[in-house]
Amino acid sequence: METRLWREMLMPYYAAVDELKMKFEQIAKECRDLGIYSPIETVKGRVKRIPSILEKAQKKDIEIEDIESLIQDIAGIRIICQFVEDIESVVEIIRKRKDMTILEERDYVTTSKPSGYRSYHIIIEYEVHMYDGIKSIKAEIQIRTLAMDFWGTIEHSLQYKYNGKMPSHIRARLHAAAEAIVMLDNEMSTVRSEIMDAQNDMQNTDYIITEILCNIQNLYGVANTREINKIQDEFYRLYELKNTDMLQRFCNELDIIAEGYRAQSIQEGF
Ligand code: 0O2
């Protein structure tokens, strides 16, 4: 196939990767904005390189004209989670979506591949609106923990380095590392609720501080300098104490002060 035709064929895949990446990042952002724990830590996306597509087609005996229907990971999205439990939450999110159809699920988390590879794969059908109409493509979503991703990335680089002929002592080391990753994920799961609480507290404090700063900023237009300086000093004092409850009370007080000024300005407007 000519380079120009390859480029044309891959266009909807690039569009799909951009859209899907943005949609999953949006979910993580929404959770952060709501102050709730996000099962999605980071999202990565890529379109398979032409040489890799050809290599896979050759390995699996796929004709050029069948590439789009038989190679399911030309568009690839990788969702990284902190904990194994989060993988199921992300799978549930995907199952409920109306803008993608699940064609296949492969659970390499419960049963790892012989290499030691672990990840949850979902093959979806996804519609992309291109300038000349709707194009339906397949994409692979890989969902895995940070630890699984670390192992997968290192193993992938070694596979590339040894071109499928990995020395047995390295293979054995990778198997041992894969077992260590299972243990690490299990250990992290035992402290999951503590870590989630700490992260929620941090997010909540960030949210309160943003509210306070926003209120102080608004008061600049209406309150006198002495009052604002007093409020700011009190904010710095509470900030240094790092006490979320006190910051929350201060935030509520500022809301009342701001509301008072708003009521006053409405009255003056009459
Ligand atoms: P790349 O370079 O990441 O794109 P098959 O199991 O062969 O019938 P297929 O299509 O390979 O089917 O699907 P599978 O097994 O779900 O694997 C798809 C992708 O998962 C691979 O794409 C890898 O990204 C990842 N993967 C699967 N097995 C392994 C493994 O043992 N180690 C690592 N590091 N990654 C793996 P590609 O096209 O192989 O590679």
Side-chain angles (χ1 to χ4, degrees):
M1 196 180 343
E2 279 176 45
T3 315
R4 185 181 58 82
L5 291 178
W6 271 107
R7 271 214 303 270
E8 264 175 38
M9 182 204 104
L10 292 178
M11 270 179 194
Y13 292 89
Y14 279 100
V17 166
D18 284 349
E19 284 182 18
L20 289 165
K21 203 168 160 286
M22 193 200 67
K23 287 180 178 184
F24 289 114
E25 281 169 348
Q26 181 55 38
I27 292 173
K29 182 179 178 300
E30 193 185 339
C31 290
R32 279 195 299 274
D33 289 350
L34 290 170
I36 56 172
Y37 175 78
S38 166
I40 297 176
E41 173 68 12
T42 42
V43 186
K44 301 179 201 171
R46 65 102 182 93
V47 172
K48 212 174 182 63
R49 291 179 310 110
I50 298 171
S52 301
I53 299 176
L54 289 172
E55 204 181 304
K56 196 159 187 167
Q58 200 179 24
K59 209 168 87 188
K60 295 188 152 201
D61 226 356
I62 295 171
E63 301 290 335
I64 294 277
E65 58 273 21
D66 295 329
I67 279 178
E68 284 195 86
S69 58
L70 298 180
I71 298 189
Q72 299 170 316
D73 65 341
I74 295 177
I77 295 291
R78 193 168 285 166
I79 299 178
I80 316 288
C81 311
Q82 296 192 70
F83 303 101
V84 184
E85 292 80 356
D86 300 334
I87 296 178
E88 189 52 34
S89 308
V90 175
V91 172
E92 276 307 316
I93 290 173
I94 297 172
R95 285 186 188 138
K96 283 191 195 126
R97 289 196 75 110
K98 297 276 181 277
D99 54 349
M100 49 192 86
T101 310
I102 296 183
L103 300 178
E104 205 180 319
E105 292 187 26
R106 294 181 199 152
D107 181 0
Y108 303 128
V109 175
T110 318
T111 313
S112 60
K113 285 193 122 183
S115 60
Y117 174 80
R118 284 165 74 231
S119 193
Y120 198 99
H121 291 190
I122 298 185
I123 309 295
I124 57 158
E125 188 163 56
Y126 183 74
E127 284 187 348
V128 211
H129 292 248
M130 304 302 286
Y131 98 101
D132 57 351
I134 296 174
K135 165 97 184 160
S136 185
I137 61 119
K138 286 179 185 165
E140 181 182 74
I141 306 175
Q142 300 181 343
I143 311 152
R144 46 172 86 164
T145 62
L146 286 159
M148 292 174 197
D149 189 49
F150 174 59
W151 187 93
T153 307
I154 302 288
E155 199 260 3
H156 193 273
S157 313
L158 288 169
Q159 267 186 41
Y160 183 77
K161 178 176 172 189
Y162 292 109
N163 198 15
K165 296 183 193 79
M166 202 182 289
S168 57
H169 69 282
I170 300 211
R171 180 53 60 207
R173 283 260 156 105
L174 281 168
H175 269 114
E179 279 167 24
I181 293 290
V182 175
M183 269 161 60
L184 174 67
D185 272 334
N186 289 344
E187 279 301 312
M188 294 312 278
S189 289
T190 63
V191 289
R192 183 171 181 255
S193 61
E194 260 96 323
I195 296 174
M196 279 170 67
D197 281 352
Q199 288 173 347
N200 279 344
D201 278 357
M202 233 161 67
Q203 266 174 10
N204 195 21
T205 311
D206 278 2
Y207 182 74
I208 296 168
I209 289 172
T210 310
E211 278 276 302
I212 292 175
L213 291 175
C214 189
N215 262 333
I216 295 178
Q217 177 85 19
N218 290 341
L219 284 173
Y220 267 101
V222 284
N224 64 48
T225 320
R226 228 179 103 244
E227 188 175 12
I228 290 176
N229 286 343
K230 222 174 99 193
I231 288 171
Q232 260 173 0
D233 289 347
E234 180 62 359
F235 167 60
Y236 291 135
R237 190 182 73 79
L238 296 176
Y239 181 75
E240 276 174 19
L241 289 176
K242 302 241 175 293
N243 182 318
T244 309
D245 290 340
M246 287 168 95
L247 280 167
Q248 181 63 70
R249 271 198 297 279
F250 181 64
C251 185
N252 295 345
E253 281 163 26
L254 278 189
D255 276 344
I256 294 168
I257 296 174
E259 193 48 49
Y261 275 109
R262 250 193 307 275
Q264 196 179 325
S265 70
I266 290 170
Q267 263 179 359
E268 280 165 5
F270 273 111

